[in-house]
Amino acid sequence: MPMRLSVVFAALSLSLPACAQQGVSPFVASGAVPGQGAGYHARGPQLLAQTEGSDPAEVRVAQSQAPSEAVRYPTLPLTREILYKFLLAEIAGQRGNVRLASRAYLELAQSTRDPRFAKRATEVAMYGRFGDIAAEAASVWLEIEPDSQPAKQTLMATMLGGNKLSEAKPLLQKLLAADKVRTGALFQQLNPLLSRHPDRKAALKLVQDLAQPYPRLPDAHLAIAQAAAGAEDFALAESEVGEALALKVDFEPAALFRAHLLQRSSVPEAAAYLKKFVSANPRARDARLFYARLLAADHRPQEARQEFQAIDNEAPGNPEVLVMIGLLSMQLQDLPAAEAKLKKALELNYRDPDTLRFYLGQLAEEGQRPEEALGHYSQVRAGEQAVPAAARHAMLLSRQGRVAEARARLQEVEAQTDPHKALLAQAEAQVLREARQYQEAFDVISTALDGQPDNVDLLYDTAMAAEKVDRIDVLESRLRRVIELRPDHAQAYNALGYTLADRGLRLDEARGYIEKALSLLPDDAFILDSLGWVHYRQGNLDEGLGLLRRAYTRRPDPEIAAHLGEVLWAKGQRADAEALWRTALQEHPANDELQVVIRKFLKQ
């Protein structure tokens, strides 16, 4: 006997959100929170409790207002069995029993032949990773709606996702043959579905078998090429993508794939190929985008920016394109253009606004607008740039004398990874060093090193902090550990050699370390400075002077100026030394090294 209902349910929705494939619980997405007994509310056709009408014992499925929906979906009486199964499925899902929920929906689909139940069963089973139920539900869905492209695609995904290639093959052959209009599109869907299959050679064999009846279909050849690349048979991949392009010269997906193949061995060659393709097919927008990215990867920022700008001119308002123009403009030191493009991308709701705020903070710093930079950095509270932004924010505060605020800003950030924890410690130590709180800086960086004892950056920074508190034993042991972990760490050799030379210790050994550093980084200004300094300490004034002149020419740094001036003084060229120091002091009035040497020799 049909169930007699009064106002039991105002609305039980059968909306079927496509959330399972996105990794979102279909129960949470629909408004039903597991364990809380929340009702199900969403858009779409609804089961409505009938409170008046010809037969109060019967509740029918109210159709969507769209006229086409009334034709597609059956009108169902809400019997006890349907209501029971529906509630069982929803409650099971809310309580985390996804297998029971998907099975209940599948049984509803089988009994009612309503495609909405079949779709729901498929989605819930895929969310729960129950491949057997998902495949069965998708098959039912396709039986009910044989022309449904989502049903076909989902069934392909469930079959291939279950790694049952032999079972999937006849089904895929049937799907490809049944819809001649969409055969090409179905071939293009194979690669994403097979890309994670553990047996790449078997996947290639499957695609080759499926493509055999379609020798004149470009998409079939492209599918073989993609599968061949996955199996690392690049010769076959190149041959098949060539066949695809021979059949259809303006086949953009094939051109993109060939460019990817070329990129493996030569970025310039890939860029040259796409330049030719885009010239012949100016409407191939994806190819133009990839071409522009290849130009950027090939360190051709001016050309890359021109391409991205052309894309933006044709189809304005794409925030991804604006960001690329902005970043390339930063690289080209066109800071006003960079700032304008990044701000526009932010207005257009770019997917990662925190990264844009970080870049805008850097641009404001470059433009000597510290308050604006602080404003941008302060808004970055999540994502990959949260820690770097906090570090930059803290440094700006520190330079304004707001050391306590700077440390508080760093300490409020919750770093989730060891590299970010190290960066926070390094930034705090730098704040303290600039405030001349050297012991506190040493303590902070040493504590961080305790948690990551083989972190090369922390080892190096601890050594530099140790030098400021006259712990040369710690400096030497930390730098030797850096060299042990990274034998090519030129700066560690240089720092060790310079520190020994500056204190007049073991000068021959110090010179050996510095020469090793210079062999790793030839013509580095600071290493040349160190080598000139150790020659000076050894009494080799001419060698020292020549090296220090080279260093200062390459980089007019105040500390190099201090060293060069001292050697000039020792050579009797006192007027030249004084002129050099005073010029450097005008540009760097707060530099400690310059102030010390001027007081020493000019007695000021």
Side-chain angles (χ1 to χ4, degrees), residues 175-190:
L175 288 175
L176 290 166
D179 191 347
K180 298 190 185 308
V181 174
R182 287 187 51 84
T183 301
L186 291 173
F187 266 112
Q188 290 192 39
Q189 292 165 18
L190 287 176

Side-chain angles (χ1 to χ4, degrees), residues 15-220:
S15 173
L16 306 174
C19 52
Q21 297 178 21
Q22 302 171 5
V24 181
S25 168
F27 303 101
V28 174
S30 65
V33 181
Q36 296 183 0
Y40 186 89
H41 303 286
R43 300 185 303 274
Q46 297 175 321
L47 289 173
L48 301 176
Q50 183 175 334
T51 57
E52 58 185 9
S54 60
D55 187 356
E58 187 177 79
V59 180
R60 299 197 176 270
V61 177
Q63 304 299 331
S64 164
Q65 294 180 359
S68 61
E69 295 291 297
V71 176
R72 290 181 57 194
Y73 296 124
T75 299
L76 303 174
L78 185 57
T79 63
R80 284 189 177 91
E81 181 181 359
I82 292 176
L83 181 59
Y84 169 75
K85 288 285 187 183
F86 177 77
L87 292 177
L88 175 65
E90 283 293 298
I91 293 170
Q94 291 173 27
R95 294 181 177 178
N97 192 340
V98 181
R99 175 175 278 277
L100 177 59
S102 58
R103 177 56 68 183
Y105 271 124
L106 175 56
E107 291 175 2
L108 275 171
Q110 290 169 329
S111 63
T112 64
R113 308 302 290 173
D114 190 316
R116 292 168 295 181
F117 284 126
K119 182 183 178 187
R120 180 71 163 165
T122 306
E123 291 173 339
V124 172
M126 291 179 71
Y127 168 77
R129 299 183 184 277
F130 300 120
D132 54 340
I133 302 177
E136 186 179 358
S139 297
V140 172
W141 181 10
L142 190 58
E143 287 175 12
I144 300 170
E145 287 191 316
D147 295 327
S148 168
Q149 294 307 321
K152 292 177 183 178
Q153 294 161 8
T154 305
L155 183 54
M156 287 174 61
T158 58
M159 295 296 292
L160 295 176
N163 295 333
K164 300 176 181 179
L165 298 188
S166 59
E167 296 179 26
K169 181 178 173 180
L171 169 66
L172 293 172
Q173 289 173 323
K174 183 178 179 181
L175 288 175
L176 290 166
D179 191 347
K180 298 190 185 308
V181 174
R182 287 187 51 84
T183 301
L186 291 173
F187 266 112
Q188 290 192 39
Q189 292 165 18
L190 287 176
N191 182 59
L193 297 173
L194 288 168
S195 61
R196 295 184 181 179
H197 194 277
D199 189 342
R200 297 299 183 88
K201 292 187 183 300
L204 171 58
K205 179 64 167 60
L206 172 65
V207 177
Q208 287 175 311
D209 290 346
L210 294 174
Q212 189 175 6
Y214 307 97
R216 304 295 299 168
L217 185 64
D219 308 81

Side-chain angles (χ1 to χ4, degrees), residues 580-594:
L580 175 65
W581 287 332
R582 292 197 183 282
T583 299
L585 190 63
Q586 286 178 351
E587 297 177 2
H588 308 278
N591 185 267
D592 290 340
E593 190 89 8
L594 273 174

Side-chain angles (χ1 to χ4, degrees), residues 281-350:
N281 303 278
R283 294 182 179 275
R285 190 165 178 271
D286 288 340
R288 292 191 66 184
L289 274 170
F290 189 33
Y291 172 54
R293 292 183 183 278
L294 286 172
L295 290 172
D298 196 30
H299 309 293
R300 294 153 66 182
Q302 186 68 51
E303 295 173 73
R305 184 170 70 163
Q306 289 174 355
E307 285 298 320
F308 279 114
Q309 189 61 63
I311 293 168
D312 185 56
N313 291 341
E314 289 181 7
N318 185 326
E320 305 284 342
V321 173
L322 290 170
V323 168
M324 287 302 301
I325 298 172
L327 296 181
L328 289 164
S329 298
M330 287 180 71
Q331 191 175 343
L332 292 165
Q333 290 298 302
D334 186 354
L335 304 188
E339 195 165 8
K341 295 299 183 182
L342 295 180
K343 284 183 176 180
K344 183 64 175 177
L346 193 61
E347 292 171 5
L348 293 172
N349 298 316
Y350 178 67

